[in-house]
Amino acid sequence: MTEIKLYNTASRSKEVFTPLDPKNVRMYVCGPTVYDRAHLGNARPVLVFDVLYRLLRHVYGPDHVTYVRNFTDVDDKINATALARKEAGAKGTLEELIAERAEETIGWYLTDMGALGALEPNEMPRATEFIGQMIQMIERLIADGFAYAKDGHVLFRVRKYDAYGKLSGRSVDDMIAGARVEVAPYKEDPMDFVLWKPSDDALPGWDSPWGRGRPGWHIECSAMADELLWEKPVREGRLSAEAMQKPHVFDIHGGGLDLQFPHHEDEIAQSCCANQTDEMAQIWMHNEMLQVEGKKMSKSLGNFFTVRDLLDDGVPPEVIRFVMLSTHYRKPMDWTEKKRQEAEMRLTAYFKATENVEAAQSVPQKLVDALANDLNTHLALSELVHLHNNSMLPELKSGLRFLGFPDAEDVEWFRGGTKMAALSNLSDHSTLLLELLSRWQEFRDKKEYAAADELKQKLEATGLKLSVGVAGPEAEPTGDFDPAKLEALK
């Protein structure tokens, strides 16, 4: 069996992954708060953990992996969005508009992420379906002195949990000194966080021992993860005796780096205290953030866009997936026009090479090994280059499938013969160009620099600008690019 190694944020080291129960590997990933379209940064954790899900299914079997990703459908941002719609004249009560908005946004999310090739998780719970479990968990925390109720609120006593801050590597005092914390009359300590808060008649609310209200954000994930990855499998008798030795603990918890603190820190605190455990999950994984052309994506910079924006602008979903996977998940991902063009060129070549080719029955082991080494998707994409250059086309098709790319026969833009926007002047020559770039790299690898320089000069004389990027040699067309000159270099 393939050995998988994953970087554990909690231990700050790469560890051999040993599931508590190989016949029921359990993973929870924090999903979206459903108040608007998913932006490009929201797609990164989806694709990162989709690749991990595919790897786990490959190693342990599709029927032996449980992947849970939630929807937060009760939140102040959703309330604010619905309120704005009501003030703009939308019909219905505020609560009806909130439910309508959540339903609409969940549909958008699943459609957009599905377009990117992401498999749907085994479980996609909505927070509003687990209010009872949240209330029960809060009651246990109060009974054991880890939480307290005041003025319709329930708060977690951060200083009562000695391990608070371990995941993010910060002390409570440092957090107070370096962060803005809400000071409120119902708090015993500024760092205490909300488990439950009151709702007025217009907002969504549920009856509770502390009055009509709604849950805080952090308790939602703790309750849903415990119910679906512990309580439910126990009820159904789906956990081994070994897994039962660690009650309320599952294998992997993932999400974006922005969730490490406070969300995941708070999840650990309330889960461990409510369930009387030393840990919530064995391994914590966090993907780095996304940038656009080297800058943080923001509306003020004019570089903010959703996945749907890109799709509507004609960027093939396979290209978005390829660019996302070209950078290791623990490094900042920079979306650039150059990377987009490179992805289009490579995918065009791969689809041309594998069209009507029968895929190999097994996935190339080097590709599996690349992903098993802490999801090294960059190395996995490099293996595709090797398979293509060596005309190992059945293996190339199998590898593309494993990484979540569709078969050439099922790609509409490829089957229809339409040219992609960013490389309309290169798509018809991508196979030849990749061969020439590979030859240039081969000269460089063999230190035959005179031959490499000569070929580079010839390529650049066609109107291309050559460089070496993270995925290998790259070519960017200039305004003077002449395809006829490129054909002459065959």
Side-chain angles (χ1 to χ4, degrees), residues 27 61 70 115 119 149 193 238 280 287-288 308 327 398 408 488:
M27 176 171 69
N70 73 294
L119 300 173
F193 59 86
R238 293 190 291 109
M280 180 183 181
N287 63 272
E288 257 284 5
R308 179 51 50 183
T327 301
S398 175

Side-chain angles (χ1 to χ4, degrees), residues 44 51 322-329 331 339 346 350 367 370-371 373-385 403 469-474:
R44 193 176 194 200
V51 172
F322 192 100
V323 174
M324 287 282 190
L325 299 189
S326 66
T327 301
H328 191 272
Y329 77 95
K331 294 182 179 180
K339 287 181 179 179
R346 289 196 176 278
Y350 294 161
L367 197 152
L371 297 187
N373 184 13
D374 194 30
L375 295 189
N376 194 335
T377 52
H378 170 67
L379 183 59
L381 292 181
S382 297
E383 180 61 19
L384 295 185
V385 175
L403 289 172
V470 293
E474 300 175 353

